Amino acid sequence: MYNESKQIRVAFLCNAASWGGLEMNIARLAQWLAENGHQVVFLCPPQTAVSDFMATHLMPNLYLYPSKSRLKYFDLLTASQIGRILARHQVDSLVIGHSKDIQLGITVQTFFYNKLKLGYLQQMQVGIAKKDWLHRWMYSKLAFWVAPLPSVASVTLARTTVRPEQIRLIPLCADLAKFKDVRRKRAAARAQLGLPPDATLLTIVGRYDAGKGQIFLVEALAQLKQRGIEAEILLVGEETKGEEGTYLPMLKQRIQDLQLLAQVHFRPFMQSIELAYAASDIFVMASLEETFGMVTIEAMASALPVVGSRAGGTVDLLEEEQAGLFFEPQNSQSLGESLLKLLQNRMLCGEKSQKASVLS
């Protein structure tokens, strides 16, 4: 997909209302390619967090909006509009950021711009087998499938009909310079975020969603508290658009039931996310099946030891626990035990912190 010596003409499709890691990653990739002299077209619905970001970071003539439709399959109106945009810019490839939009890309290719190459930028693990006739047909239309890590590619090959020759192993891009040495600003970051100056802070950055596992960290904190270990939690994120009022109220009720209201701090997503890492002591990746985990990379670059679930791409990123410790997915007791090892052993915590910074 990318040849450094040749200018490419590429479009990105991100049909999402939310602003989380997935949307941030595809927006950053488009921004990086545009800044490096490539012709980039970005397609997304208007009046969303994604459109606001791209309006700020891309030239106006490269930032175009398709109409928004509720049709799940064969949305010819939107596809025709996208096809005209791609033809006008003579785009070679369309990179799709959400699997649900692969069918829209196929409709564009089939009816309106048949020389288009379709690709999927995988950021979510394939959770269940998808080998039925519909998925087999959809995946056959893709010229490339970008997986960020070998373990993610292996799961994709096992659970889908994607062929090995379609797979491209390309880690997600990230500018990590701003995360270096942020922990020297710990006191200032805590003051700016209104956090206790001396507490040991365990942090998760991610949307409030059952798959992100915030509730397991809350339960692990309750177990640590029973054992006389003092620590607090920082949760940075927001609810998924269209799913408000589902997971977050349950999470807050669990915090109240465990009498941890004073020990759990909620903060919204922030542009200066390095402040959250600067304020933290240990980063927790509690997701059930994270693919690449950009926040894990950012935490490691911030020299934070990571306690991560033994699942998905986190296994690759921590490199056999060199940058942190594993715990069993969806197991608060296992998470608590791993946290306890770091909290009670300052030397071990320092070693993991140093290695995390090097490996990032």
Side-chain angles (χ1 to χ4, degrees):
M1 183 177 67
Y2 175 61
N3 183 335
E4 188 174 2
S5 63
K6 178 184 177 182
Q7 186 188 60
I8 61 175
R9 296 188 297 269
V10 61
F12 291 86
L13 176 63
C14 185
N15 191 22
S18 297
W19 182 245
L22 191 153
E23 292 77 28
M24 291 178 192
N25 290 338
I26 195 168
R28 288 168 179 166
L29 177 56
Q31 178 190 0
W32 182 83
L33 286 171
E35 289 174 349
N36 281 271
H38 300 285
Q39 183 175 331
V40 177
V41 174
F42 199 93
L43 300 155
C44 66
Q47 298 178 334
T48 62
V50 182
S51 66
D52 291 344
F53 179 90
M54 298 313 294
T56 303
H57 292 83
L58 275 181
M59 293 174 59
N61 64 319
L62 297 178
Y63 182 60
L64 305 161
Y65 304 88
S67 62
K68 195 173 183 180
S69 171
R70 295 182 179 180
L71 292 177
K72 186 174 182 180
Y73 296 107
F74 300 110
D75 181 358
L76 296 176
L77 178 61
T78 300
S80 65
Q81 186 175 1
I82 291 174
R84 288 194 298 271
I85 292 170
L86 300 183
R88 185 162 67 246
H89 288 276
Q90 297 183 314
V91 166
D92 300 313
S93 301
L94 175 64
V95 179
I96 299 165
H98 289 259
S99 59
K100 63 182 177 62
D101 293 324
I102 292 176
Q103 50 76 29
L104 179 57
I106 293 173
T107 305
V108 173
Q109 181 193 58
T110 302
F111 295 102
F112 302 104
Y113 196 53
N114 56 24
K115 71 175 185 178
L116 185 67
K117 294 180 180 178
L118 297 177
Y120 173 55
L121 182 64
Q122 183 182 12
Q123 299 187 69
M124 299 290 289
Q125 190 73 273
V126 180
I128 60 175
K130 295 183 177 181
K131 297 186 177 184
D132 56 90
W133 68 268
L134 178 60
H135 284 95
R136 183 183 298 273
W137 172 74
M138 288 172 57
Y139 297 152
S140 71
K141 298 295 184 179
L142 296 174
F144 55 89
W145 177 295
V146 178
L149 293 167
S151 62
V152 176
S154 296
V155 172
T156 295
L157 292 172
R159 295 180 180 174
T160 73
T161 58
V162 173
R163 303 182 305 278
E165 59 268 25
Q166 291 173 281
I167 296 287
R168 305 289 188 273
L169 277 175
I170 305 175
L172 297 173
C173 64
D175 181 3
L176 301 178
K178 66 180 179 180
F179 300 104
K180 299 298 182 182
D181 299 321
V182 295
R183 295 185 71 190
R184 295 181 181 179
K185 305 172 184 177
R186 182 175 184 267
R190 291 195 175 199
Q192 187 169 341
L193 295 176
L195 297 168
D198 300 318
T200 298
L201 212 54
L202 317 174
T203 298
I204 289 181
V205 176
R207 279 189 285 224
Y208 297 119
D209 180 275
K212 296 297 183 182
Q214 290 96 340
I215 198 165
F216 299 107
L217 178 57
V218 169
E219 292 175 348
L221 179 64
Q223 295 166 20
L224 291 172
K225 186 178 178 181
Q226 290 177 349
R227 300 171 73 164
I229 304 297
E230 296 295 331
E232 300 189 16
I233 291 174
L234 170 62
L235 299 178
V236 180
E238 64 181 27
E239 294 182 274
T240 301
K241 300 294 183 183
E243 298 179 15
E244 294 88 350
T246 53
Y247 180 72
L248 185 57
M250 181 190 69
L251 176 63
K252 289 185 174 181
Q253 184 61 53
R254 187 62 174 147
I255 292 169
Q256 181 175 331
D257 292 344
L258 294 171
Q259 300 180 355
L260 294 173
L261 290 174
Q263 286 79 43
V264 181
H265 310 276
F266 289 88
R267 297 294 182 270
F269 273 132
M270 56 194 80
Q271 287 295 328
S272 300
I273 192 62
E274 64 272 16
L275 285 174
Y277 300 120
S280 304
D281 294 295
I282 296 174
F283 185 79
V284 177
M285 170 49 72
S287 297
L288 176 59
E289 285 192 328
E290 197 74 20
T291 49
F292 188 74
M294 187 64 75
V295 291
T296 302
I297 293 292
E298 292 172 351
M300 291 169 61
S302 303
L304 286 172
V306 177
V307 176
S309 55
R310 195 189 300 272
T314 305
V315 176
D316 288 333
L317 294 179
L318 296 191
E319 296 199 19
E320 298 181 348
E321 295 193 306
Q322 292 189 65
L325 296 174
F326 291 129
F327 70 95
E328 297 308 311
Q330 297 184 309
N331 188 323
S332 57
Q333 183 175 351
S334 177
L335 173 54
E337 292 296 332
S338 293
L339 288 169
L340 188 63
K341 289 178 183 178
L342 292 179
L343 293 171
Q344 290 187 327
N345 190 332
R346 184 173 297 181
M347 182 176 294
L348 177 64
C349 195
E351 290 173 357
K352 301 297 185 184
S353 170
Q354 186 176 23
K355 196 65 177 180
S357 180
V358 172
L359 290 175
S360 66

